[in-house]
Amino acid sequence: MRRLEGKIAIVTGGAGGIGAATARRLTSEGATTVIADLDLERARAIAAEIGSGATAFHYDAESVDTVEALVASTVARFGRLDILLNNAAITTPQIQREDSTAVDITFETWDRVMAVNLRGYLAGCKYAIPEMLKVGGGAIINTASGSGLVGDLSRIGYGTSKAGVIALTRFIATQYGRQGVRCNAVAPGLILTEAAKESVPELIEMIQNHVLTPRLGKPEDVAAVVAFLASEDAGFINGETVVCNGGSLAHQPHSHDLAQYLEGRG
Ligand SMILES: NC(=O)c1ccc[n+]([C@@H]2O[C@H](COP(=O)([O-])OP(=O)(O)OC[C@H]3O[C@@H](n4cnc5c(N)ncnc54)[C@H](O)[C@@H]3O)[C@@H](O)[C@H]2O)c1
């Protein structure tokens, strides 16, 4: 399928698991893709692996000036911008430890999480939308998370930022949809990136018990949703959040316990 022929795309957090898979997918569908990340070395390696059609760019989502430079340099080099995937998120082990509960989280951690995960997305939209309007519209996709849909025992900043991403998506669609900008979100459940495979072995088993598919999610599953939302196949979809989690929020919270209970009764 080459639904994105001639399109210019930016993928933020493009050096990470989901971002890299999406950069590969968008490029394979014909887009020229800018892989933007804090980790320039890794972004360059992924761009080199993809080959012609992909380039790397260094930016920091926490610094809005660099987000502006990312959009400006993309347009200066390729002449236009059609697709933006806002996808970078702060996932360092230190932040994961410190982003805890309402009582324990520091305001510093909260502010950093919001700056990267939410303000960074707003900045992407703020600078990309005028460029998209110049060419009659475009597609923005924001990576949210299941953590933005339900509560959890830790990561209050992360979950709140992702709920904000879902709201941001609806506001952008409402404010610019009639001028041709479609803005949708994808909300992944646990996706087995290389990092996720290493960091949460016990959690993976717990989550597996609640997924309604025989396997867990892979970065390519999210990439496929993004490519669809970026394409004209999704031309009448705006302001939506597509949940990509194997159905893990689609059932009664007690379904797994009930299945075990019924099994135990024979
Ligand atoms: N993997 C999952 O299970 C999962 C589930 C739900 C949502 N998500 C979301 O998917 C997106 C991608 O996650 P992933 O699993 O690929 O994570 P990842 O850690 O592999 O990738 C994140 C990327 O963002 C980059 N980044 C971090 N801070 C940055 C900054 N300040 N400026 C620019 N780039 C920065 C990192 O260098 C990294 O390449 C994130 O928004 C995440 O919240 C992931």
Side-chain angles (χ1 to χ4, degrees):
M1 247 184 313
R2 289 185 66 88
R3 296 176 293 190
L4 306 175
E5 208 71 65
K7 302 288 185 193
I8 307 300
I10 292 174
V11 173
T12 79
I18 291 172
T22 306
R24 286 187 196 100
R25 177 70 188 249
L26 298 184
T27 314
S28 78
E29 292 219 26
T32 296
T33 307
V34 177
I35 299 171
D37 206 286
L38 196 56
D39 185 344
L40 180 61
E41 206 179 312
R42 177 109 190 95
R44 279 193 174 136
I46 290 155
E49 175 220 307
I50 293 174
S52 68
T55 57
F57 191 91
H58 177 261
Y59 92 110
D60 179 353
E62 224 173 322
S63 148
V64 291
D65 291 350
T66 68
V67 181
E68 186 175 19
L70 164 64
V71 172
S73 117
T74 301
V75 174
R77 181 157 178 197
F78 300 108
R80 56 190 287 148
L81 177 63
D82 304 287
I83 298 163
L84 168 67
L85 171 64
N86 276 315
N87 171 75
I90 186 160
T91 53
T92 58
Q94 191 196 347
I95 285 287
Q96 301 222 26
R97 254 194 328 276
E98 290 173 0
D99 182 3
S100 51
T101 59
V103 171
D104 291 335
I105 191 171
T106 62
F107 291 116
E108 194 192 351
T109 297
W110 174 273
D111 287 348
R112 273 205 81 196
V113 171
M114 293 302 157
V116 176
N117 295 11
L118 189 52
R119 193 185 64 198
Y121 281 28
L122 168 69
C125 296
K126 183 178 177 64
Y127 299 119
I129 289 167
E131 297 302 333
M132 291 178 170
L133 293 179
K134 285 181 198 163
V135 294
I140 297 172
I141 301 100
N142 296 320
T143 309
S145 167
S147 301
L149 297 168
V150 291
D152 211 338
L153 297 176
S154 67
R155 301 187 82 192
I156 189 168
Y158 178 79
T160 307
S161 74
K162 293 301 186 176
V165 164
I166 292 168
L168 178 75
T169 300
R170 295 196 187 110
F171 271 84
I172 301 289
T174 305
Q175 294 177 352
Y176 301 98
R178 289 173 71 98
Q179 295 170 74
V181 176
R182 288 185 305 103
C183 184
N184 292 291
V186 57
L190 176 71
I191 299 297
L192 287 180
T193 58
E194 290 309 314
K197 275 186 211 162
E198 279 165 26
S199 65
V200 284
E202 298 86 1
L203 191 64
I204 288 172
E205 198 188 326
M206 287 179 218
I207 290 174
Q208 177 85 67
N209 290 333
H210 295 275
V211 168
L212 308 180
T213 49
R215 64 165 176 84
L216 281 168
K218 351 178 249 220
E220 291 74 18
D221 293 319
V222 182
V225 174
V226 174
F228 165 68
L229 290 173
S231 79
E232 193 43 40
D233 284 347
F236 199 48
I237 300 179
N238 209 354
E240 291 297 332
T241 296
V242 177
V243 176
C244 179
N245 66 2
S248 52
L249 294 178
H251 55 75
Q252 296 286 358
H254 57 266
S255 290
H256 174 65
D257 299 330
L258 181 62
Q260 281 194 319
Y261 170 74
L262 292 174
E263 229 173 76
R265 284 202 330 180

